[in-house]
Amino acid sequence: MSDVKKFIEQSDDELLIKLLIDSFRRIIVHYGSWFAEVEHQLGMENALDVEQNVWDMSFSNQLNRIGKTLGFPVDKGVPEFIKSLPRQTLIDLIEKIGINWLANDGIWFQAVEKKHGMIDAKRCNDTCWTRFSPFEAYRIKKLLELPDNGGINALKKALAFRMYAFINEQIIEDIDENCIIFRMQNCRVQAARKRKGLPDYPCKSAGMVEYPYFARTIDNRIQTECIGCPPDEHPEEWFCAWKFFIN
């Protein structure tokens, strides 16, 4: 019989550091696995509701424990040093996190494509949007305290707080109080491909999931129509355009 903890205590510092980072990785994957399975078993609406309670409790507990160990105070689930950051630093951090999110998405896509081909990568990507798009809309809805039937005005506000909004250039044209047209004027992914002399990435299949799911989560009366999205032809001033409306 041996004490299992001795294996850890006898490890060198390099291994301990690797273990520390890998532990965060395991938490992230386990958290996502729980969400995906609850969504599969109980439906998206119930998964979003449960995740709200899980995050409030889990993140606060984790942060408080780490704060006590590393010696930084935590106030209402937020490290106090973050609250002391200058406004512009907060904005810059939000932008960098948006870039990290997009890069993470791209790395996953390329990894699947390399091993299994473009078709499987696109299939996985499109299915991911069936979960992430309503999740993001739900989080923004809670963040901004938007009403359930906030209509087009609520959607306009929500679109401004998406991860894409931090890193891409987009514009909204008001048609009337029940209709807007959303245009992605500059997309980091497509712009990078253009600089390399590559054709547009055909993202319409993902968009046909992403945008309707997002809009319906903000207000289930909102309908979505694609005006144009690669591989569709589009003018120089935008990469994709979407019409949101309530009949």
Side-chain angles (χ1 to χ4, degrees):
M1 301 279 297
S2 62
D3 185 354
V4 173
K5 285 187 176 181
K6 286 185 178 180
F7 288 104
I8 296 177
E9 292 169 353
Q10 294 170 359
S11 300
D12 58 34
D13 289 354
E14 184 178 0
L15 179 57
L16 290 176
I17 291 170
K18 289 180 179 178
L19 175 60
L20 175 66
I21 301 303
D22 198 66
S23 297
F24 283 108
R25 178 180 181 177
R26 296 179 210 177
I27 291 174
I28 292 169
V29 173
H30 194 202
Y31 192 97
S33 298
W34 259 105
F35 181 82
E37 190 57 27
V38 174
E39 186 271 337
H40 173 69
Q41 297 285 351
L42 305 176
M44 178 56 73
E45 187 174 346
N46 287 323
L48 292 172
D49 184 53
V50 170
E51 193 277 338
Q52 169 76 40
N53 296 325
V54 170
W55 177 262
D56 289 344
M57 184 178 294
S58 178
F59 184 71
S60 178
N61 287 342
Q62 292 180 52
L63 202 57
N64 284 329
R65 290 190 187 96
I66 293 173
K68 288 177 182 179
T69 302
L70 297 182
F72 62 82
V74 177
D75 180 35
K76 297 179 181 178
V78 179
E80 286 194 352
F81 75 88
I82 290 182
K83 295 183 178 181
S84 66
L85 294 174
R87 175 183 174 83
Q88 189 56 49
T89 301
L90 288 173
I91 293 173
D92 289 345
L93 272 174
I94 290 170
E95 179 187 358
K96 297 305 183 293
I97 290 171
I99 295 172
N100 283 349
W101 165 78
L102 183 63
N104 180 67
D105 181 67
I107 289 168
W108 262 108
F109 189 99
Q110 291 170 20
V112 176
E113 181 185 11
K114 184 177 180 180
K115 288 282 187 179
H116 303 282
M118 173 67 80
I119 293 175
D120 280 344
K122 282 182 63 63
R123 186 160 52 87
C124 291
N125 178 59
D126 296 357
T127 303
C128 281
W129 279 110
T130 67
R131 291 191 175 103
F132 182 74
S133 202
F135 175 77
E136 185 177 34
Y138 185 86
R139 294 307 318 143
I140 294 171
K141 196 172 181 179
K142 291 291 184 182
L143 180 69
L144 301 181
E145 298 181 349
L146 299 174
D148 287 336
N149 294 314
I152 294 299
N153 280 333
L155 178 62
K156 286 172 63 176
K157 293 177 183 177
L159 287 168
F161 282 81
R162 294 193 66 201
M163 299 293 279
Y164 270 135
F166 310 151
I167 54 179
N168 288 347
E169 295 175 17
Q170 52 195 45
I171 192 170
I172 294 174
E173 177 187 355
D174 293 304
I175 304 302
D176 56 45
E177 63 180 10
N178 288 318
C179 180
I180 59 172
I181 292 177
F182 171 90
R183 297 185 182 91
M184 191 71 73
Q185 292 181 294
N186 189 32
C187 171
R188 290 180 70 96
V189 172
Q190 302 290 21
R193 293 179 64 85
K194 189 175 181 179
R195 287 194 301 271
K196 296 175 182 178
L198 298 172
D200 289 340
Y201 169 70
C203 55
K204 187 174 183 177
S205 62
M208 293 299 292
V209 176
E210 172 191 350
Y211 286 100
Y213 275 55
F214 185 90
R216 286 201 303 266
T217 305
I218 297 300
D219 186 329
N220 60 19
R221 301 172 300 167
I222 298 176
Q223 299 181 54
T224 305
E225 178 184 316
C226 180
I227 296 174
C229 184
D232 298 340
E233 293 185 5
H234 59 84
E236 282 293 319
E237 54 265 25
W238 52 262
F239 284 100
C240 71
W242 304 83
K243 179 181 178 181
F244 300 102
F245 60 95
I246 296 177
N247 285 327

